[in-house]
Amino acid sequence: MKFKLIAAGLLASASVIAVPVAAKPVVAAATDPLAGLNIDVPAKKFVLSNGLTLIVHEDRSAPLVAVNIWYHVGSKNEPKGRSGFAHLFEHLMYNGSEHFNDDFFKATQTLGASDQNGTTNPDRTNYYQTVPKEALDSILWLESDRMGHLLGAIDQAKLDEQRAVVKNEKRSGENSPYAKAQDLIIAATTPYDHPYDHSTIGSMEDLDAASLDDVKQWFRDYYGPSNAVLVLSGDVSAAEALAKVEKYFGEIAPGAPVSQPKSWVIQKTGTVREIAYVRAAQPVFIRVWNMSDYASADTDYLQFLAQTLAGSRTSPLVKRLVIDEQLATSAEAAVDNREIGGQFSIEVVAKPGVDLAVIEKIVDEELKKVLAAGPSVSEMAKVRTSNIAGLVRSYEGIAAKAALLAESETYLGGPDAWKLGWDRFRAAKPADLQGAAKRWLTDGDYVLHMVPFGQLSASAEGADRSKMPVPGAAVPAVFPAVERAELANGLKLVVARRTGVPIVNMSLLVNTGMAADWKGDTVGVGSLAAGLMDEGTRTRTGDQLSDQLGALGASVSSGGGGEASVVSLSAVKPTLARALDIYADVVLNPAYRVEDVERTKAGSLAGLAAAKQDGAKAAARLAPSLLYGADSPYGALQTEADIAAIDPAKLAAFHARWFKPNNATLVISGDTSLAEIRPLVEAAFGKWARGAVPERIVPLTPPGAKSVVYMIDKPGAPQSVISASVIAPRRVEGDNASRGAFVTAIGGSFTSRINMKLREEKGWAYGASAGIAGGRGSRTYTAQASVQADKTAESMTEIAGLVRSAVSDKKLTAAELADAKGNMTLGLSSAWSKTAGLAGAVIDQISYDLPDDYYATYPQAISAVTLDSANAAGAQILAGKPLTWMVVGDLSKIEAGVRALGLGEVRVIDAEGKRIR
């Protein structure tokens, strides 16, 4: 299996697949702590007479089935003048078929579908969702209807609607200051006549040129069963799956034969250099090489190499650029693992003012070391162990296994073909990685400097198509029994058991004190104190933590610092005891070394500068201060001066003030029980001394007195970021299930009023939503969207009308309530099928002082919601409250139109919230 690196940078791949573990152990290093931990994904393969490939993986751990369909067509199959066509068609597949001529999500939300979406990349288009087992017939009927019966439902109106949605998705991507990187890389590294010579999103001109006839021909050419792989993973047997798939898909004609190139590697020589000027605070260095195809052994080795170069704190690029010399806020290496030829990239986001020539010199030096000697054995061992543990975590759910099987079949020709790549990964030596690097990373590179400028401102009888099968009776979601205990020092233990995968997760929830601290402390102290806990202890440096945890296949993370802080551990059971010792050290003994504090502060300053240049981030940063005001801790706005004033003593004082066992709960989820885990926790935390903590404060803020429209100028922005907010009630007030039903129907789901209006009906936004967020006190209800600039005023009019009418003349209907309740209820089994979902629910319950049986009885609470109670909850949130607007965009184009709306007093502000006019 070809695994993909999980990257968060500009060049991150759209599809991320974890490294799988083979059924047969391979010879591994004697020091490998997980050498005996092996996981297989057994599957049975069938090929129907019409060519459809069916793969079935039986997993009875939860009453769910993951349905994953891969069509072997992507942007590389697009003819000239039709770039973006594969992605446009992916959207059209969600707009209805001949026997269900309505939005696909309207059907799937009634089935309780989760983990659902569709994606397109250069090589394939996939559609996936996880459904309760009783809804399997329903989803197969839907998927087969759009595979075999789509053409009669596609018309010009649907094409125009989805074309507008895709164009807004493209604008949304272009709103990033670094968006041009992808097009520049393609132009420099790929010849015009190559299948990868254009982006998957395509050009505006080509999208406009797509005709209805083009759409229908694309379907005929590529969307037949003979060009598709269907995977069913979950609570279904192979025999049962085959019978159902024959029934629903067997009648569909095979479709046209499709020819697929297997390798078309682009060999380059020499170096191409380019400088691009961007409106951003941080310069970015990117270096790219073309490399081997998906099936090549070199691709496996180069992916391994990328992780050894920049996969952890102690890997060479991160260690030198981010940790030691502190020239950058991030350094990443990644492989874009494409079917007929991939790319290897290094990306470094430098701190403001850093010369990219210095960054390039260091990257070149570190790469030359690898070319000369190969990566270190210890770094390879850590990467290997971390990937095994990551695989175990990801395969806790059935969806990841379905994606693995589909990808393996589509690109390699068999559901178990991934094992060859895994064998290479387990047996790889430094010389293997060094050799691949010499073959691909010594010539033919493209170097891009992105520099800030300007002001930084047919075999079966077939299925009945007259109606979709009605799902069987839903299996009620059951929250597992939770065990509770309290240690002598006051530390509470909550254990939610989930067997089947040898993973144990721990999250220490500490009640911390933004509300209590904010007047007597520098803004941001809590956040930095919590975030730095995993950067080193009094006896372990950050490098040592990274190495020791990585060697155990464990990870520790920390964050929060507001009204709560969380320190988390994820461990593989064979190394749990050793990982728990390190975890306890992180919790009890954070070092807050000067060098770590100063490095993190510098990163925070760079992030603050970057946020001011990004429309969505600028709005998110300022909105709380404008809504809650300076007299509320929720309105505190961190500035450069606040960051500069933070020192190790303030961070240590924060930790000493709040981190007491009698002020904390350890939430444990996974393959363990209270009886088994308690002795380990006692050994790790039993000597932690209890102590007094400050009184908890719950901030309450009254709604604003009048509507105000705040505007921030972002010259040249192709989209405007819009939000409309009100102060909402505390969560503990009223009926939260009723409130959730109202929120879901108005803006909390794909088929909500707001998204259907701005995305599906108007085509002005890629997505729009509304929901409640916040802390223990007053909360915020916000409707938001990024819309094309020339529809800013019109979008605000629609948002205002939707929000106001929801509590006046167009209250929730019975049909909307039923859909919302189904949406809230049917996904619970999926959410609770993973340890992270269980832990999240328990943490939520504790954080908001909810009853111990809150989630155990949550399905019943949802069922009891009535139309009157849901509408009353909506009125409690919105009725009579003026809206506070935030609009970020090109004011030269949008300001006059916004002012003409008369939605409230218009105030133009800068990135610090100060009024300009």
Side-chain angles (χ1 to χ4, degrees):
M1 171 62 189
K2 306 296 175 175
F3 54 93
K4 293 190 177 180
L5 298 180
I6 299 175
L10 305 178
L11 307 181
S13 173
S15 176
V16 178
I17 303 295
V19 185
V21 183
K24 297 179 180 178
V26 193
V27 176
T31 57
D32 183 353
L34 303 180
L37 185 62
N38 296 286
I39 292 181
D40 195 7
V41 187
K44 293 186 178 180
K45 175 179 173 179
F46 307 92
V47 179
L48 275 63
S49 60
N50 60 6
L52 177 66
T53 298
L54 168 66
I55 297 168
V56 185
H57 166 66
E58 185 174 348
D59 180 342
R60 302 290 188 177
S61 62
L64 303 165
V65 181
V67 180
N68 204 316
I69 296 185
W70 283 44
Y71 293 92
H72 201 169
V73 57
S75 56
K76 79 169 184 287
N77 302 95
E78 294 164 347
K80 294 302 176 189
R82 292 297 181 267
S83 66
F85 204 86
H87 177 238
L88 173 62
F89 194 85
E90 173 217 315
H91 281 251
L92 281 166
M93 285 282 280
Y94 282 99
N95 261 45
S97 51
E98 292 172 7
H99 304 98
F100 186 84
N101 198 358
D102 204 344
D103 192 283
F104 191 79
F105 289 108
K106 290 184 179 179
T108 57
Q109 75 176 13
T110 67
L111 306 181
S114 60
D115 294 327
Q116 62 176 323
N117 208 342
T119 69
T120 308
N121 72 16
D123 303 309
R124 61 95 186 105
T125 304
N126 69 350
Y127 304 89
Y128 55 90
Q129 54 270 312
T130 298
V131 297
K133 63 178 295 184
E134 65 272 10
L136 181 56
D137 280 275
S138 305
I139 197 65
L140 291 177
W141 186 93
L142 283 165
E143 286 287 10
S144 64
D145 205 59
R146 60 179 180 175
M147 176 188 284
H149 305 274
L150 188 78
L151 291 183
I154 297 179
D155 57 23
Q156 190 65 44
K158 288 182 178 179
L159 173 59
D160 292 341
E161 173 191 309
Q162 292 307 313
R163 184 182 359 238
V165 169
V166 170
K167 289 169 71 175
N168 273 303
E169 181 179 358
K170 181 175 172 65
R171 292 186 186 100
S172 180
E174 292 171 348
N175 232 13
S176 165
Y178 305 109
K180 66 175 69 175
Q182 183 186 34
D183 287 338
L184 293 174
I185 291 168
I186 291 172
T189 61
T190 312
Y192 173 73
D193 59 347
H194 192 276
Y196 293 152
D197 68 357
H198 59 279
S199 68
T200 299
I201 195 72
S203 73
M204 290 292 194
E205 294 77 13
D206 286 357
L207 289 169
D208 284 335
S211 70
L212 193 58
D213 287 341
D214 292 333
V215 168
K216 294 186 175 183
Q217 192 57 49
W218 184 266
F219 176 79
R220 298 185 188 101
D221 288 344
Y222 293 108
Y223 272 75
S226 61
N227 196 42
V229 173
L230 169 62
V231 179
L232 301 184
S233 170
D235 193 3
V236 63
S237 69
E240 181 185 8
L242 178 60
K244 290 180 182 293
V245 171
E246 281 277 11
K247 175 180 178 181
Y248 293 109
F249 290 85
E251 64 170 335
I252 303 172
V258 178
S259 298
Q260 299 283 0
K262 300 308 294 181
S263 183
W264 195 337
V265 176
I266 308 164
Q267 298 280 1
K268 304 283 287 186
T269 59
T271 297
V272 175
R273 308 183 65 85
E274 190 164 4
I275 297 176
Y277 294 93
V278 293
R279 290 192 179 275
Q282 294 181 261
V284 173
F285 167 82
I286 299 172
R287 190 174 180 185
V288 180
W289 296 261
N290 290 335
M291 52 166 276
S292 49
D293 58 49
Y294 187 96
S296 170
D298 276 356
T299 297
D300 294 306
Y301 296 143
L302 288 172
Q303 290 180 112
F304 201 158
L305 177 71
Q307 292 194 49
T308 65
L309 276 174
S312 72
R313 177 191 172 107
T314 56
S315 55
L317 292 180
V318 177
K319 172 71 172 164
R320 187 167 176 191
L321 289 166
V322 179
I323 305 300
D324 291 346
E325 301 189 30
Q326 298 184 34
L327 298 170
T329 56
S330 69
E332 298 173 355
V335 166
D336 186 2
N337 184 13
R338 301 176 303 193
E339 184 176 15
I340 62 175
Q343 290 189 323
F344 187 102
S345 64
I346 294 173
E347 173 196 316
V348 180
V349 180
K351 290 183 177 179
V354 171
D355 186 352
L356 289 183
V358 176
I359 300 290
E360 183 173 348
K361 180 174 181 292
I362 292 173
V363 169
D364 194 56
E365 289 171 358
E366 295 302 325
L367 188 59
K368 285 179 178 176
K369 293 177 185 177
V370 171
L371 290 169
S376 73
V377 173
S378 62
E379 194 67 28
M380 285 184 64
K382 184 171 69 173
V383 168
R384 213 184 319 255
T385 303
S386 295
N387 275 287
I388 297 170
L391 180 278
V392 174
R393 292 185 185 96
S394 73
Y395 284 2
E396 184 184 16
I398 54 177
K401 291 184 282 189
L404 162 69
L405 297 170
E407 182 164 351
S408 182
E409 175 65 35
T410 301
Y411 294 153
L412 299 174
D416 61 349
W418 56 268
K419 295 178 183 179
L420 175 60
W422 174 247
D423 287 350
R424 292 173 184 149
F425 177 76
R426 290 300 303 269
K429 299 177 176 59
D432 296 318
L433 278 59
Q434 179 190 20
K438 286 182 176 180
R439 286 187 285 276
W440 297 101
L441 308 184
T442 56
D443 193 13
D445 59 332
Y446 168 64
V447 178
L448 174 62
H449 288 198
M450 305 195 80
V451 182
F453 81 104
Q455 183 182 3
L456 293 179
S457 51
S459 63
E461 179 181 338
D464 179 3
R465 295 290 166 187
S466 63
K467 61 179 180 179
M468 180 181 73
V470 177
V475 177
V478 177
F479 197 75
V482 172
E483 298 179 287
R484 290 179 169 83
E486 184 172 322
L487 304 188
N489 60 5
L491 177 63
K492 298 178 181 66
L493 303 186
V494 180
V495 181
R497 188 170 192 179
R498 172 68 68 194
T499 60
V501 176
I503 291 290
V504 176
N505 293 331
M506 296 186 181
S507 293
L508 184 78
L509 176 67
V510 180
N511 291 319
T512 49
M514 175 183 73
D517 289 345
W518 74 288
K519 285 189 175 179
D521 217 338
T522 303
V523 176
V525 165
S527 174
L528 199 62
L532 271 171
M533 290 181 67
D534 60 2
E535 289 287 328
T537 71
R538 294 168 195 160
T539 58
R540 292 177 170 95
T541 65
D543 290 355
Q544 290 170 331
L545 272 179
S546 177
D547 285 342
Q548 292 175 22
L549 288 166
L552 298 174
S555 63
V556 170
S557 61
S558 61
E563 292 178 315
S565 297
V566 178
V567 187
S568 297
L569 166 71
S570 181
V572 189
K573 201 163 183 184
T575 62
L576 174 60
R578 284 177 284 170
L580 183 53
D581 287 341
I582 301 174
Y583 176 57
D585 193 27
V586 170
V587 170
L588 301 177
N589 306 303
Y592 299 126
R593 293 181 176 86
V594 171
E595 58 269 27
D596 291 329
V597 174
E598 292 304 314
R599 184 188 72 252
T600 306
K601 284 169 60 177
S604 297
L605 287 169
L608 181 56
K612 293 178 182 180
Q613 298 298 312
D614 184 289
K617 291 179 181 178
R621 174 174 176 261
L622 289 178
S625 65
L626 299 175
L627 194 64
Y628 289 102
D631 59 345
S632 169
Y634 294 160
L637 183 67
Q638 188 181 49
T639 66
E640 288 84 354
D642 291 320
I643 296 172
I646 297 174
D647 59 31
K650 289 183 177 180
L651 303 176
F654 177 90
H655 181 271
R657 187 160 61 244
W658 296 105
F659 275 73
K660 307 289 175 62
N662 49 300
N663 190 43
T665 302
L666 185 61
V667 178
I668 303 165
S669 58
D671 190 13
T672 191
S673 64
L674 178 62
E676 180 182 41
I677 200 67
R678 181 167 182 163
L680 295 177
V681 176
E682 287 271 13
F685 292 104
K687 295 181 180 179
W688 187 12
R690 68 164 60 231
V693 293
E695 181 182 358
R696 183 190 297 180
I697 296 173
V698 179
L700 299 175
T701 303
K706 64 177 182 178
S707 289
V708 179
V709 180
Y710 294 97
M711 303 191 74
I712 299 177
D713 192 18
K714 191 172 185 289
Q719 285 195 315
S720 298
V721 178
I722 300 171
S723 66
S725 304
V726 300
I727 300 291
R730 292 182 65 194
R731 181 171 176 183
V732 294
E733 296 175 2
D735 184 343
N736 200 60
S738 294
R739 192 177 298 169
F742 176 85
V743 169
T744 299
I746 302 304
S749 69
F750 184 91
T751 56
S752 66
R753 290 185 186 182
I754 288 176
N755 191 60
M756 295 302 285
K757 174 65 71 172
L758 292 182
R759 173 185 161 123
E760 297 297 295
E761 180 182 329
K762 298 295 185 181
W764 298 339
Y766 178 59
S769 62
I772 289 183
R776 295 187 178 111
S778 299
R779 311 185 86 205
T780 306
Y781 180 88
T782 299
Q784 56 196 0
S786 291
V787 303
Q788 60 192 69
D790 61 344
K791 296 298 181 184
T792 302
E794 292 89 338
S795 297
M796 293 175 69
T797 299
E798 294 291 348
I799 291 172
L802 289 165
V803 169
R804 289 168 179 162
S805 65
V807 292
S808 57
D809 58 319
K810 293 183 180 178
K811 294 182 179 180
L812 228 60
T813 66
E816 287 177 315
L817 176 63
D819 287 346
K821 290 168 66 174
N823 189 296
M824 295 167 67
T825 303
L826 293 172
L828 293 177
S829 290
S830 180
W832 296 343
S833 68
K834 302 176 184 177
T835 55
L838 291 178
V842 174
I843 289 171
D844 181 71
Q845 193 168 280
I846 297 168
S847 297
Y848 290 96
D849 300 317
L850 302 173
D852 287 347
D853 65 348
Y854 179 80
Y855 278 106
T857 60
Y858 189 52
Q860 292 83 2
I862 296 171
S863 179
V865 173
T866 66
L867 198 56
D868 286 343
S869 69
N871 281 316
Q876 187 185 36
I877 297 169
L878 291 171
K881 296 179 182 178
L883 295 172
T884 298
W885 295 86
M886 174 73 74
V887 183
V888 184
D890 188 338
L891 297 195
S892 68
K893 298 178 181 177
I894 68 173
E895 183 177 356
V898 172
R899 287 184 178 275
L901 296 176
L903 292 176
E905 177 189 353
V906 177
R907 301 176 187 175
V908 179
I909 58 176
D910 63 14
E912 291 298 337
K914 296 178 181 177
R915 188 168 184 176
I916 299 173
R917 59 178 185 271

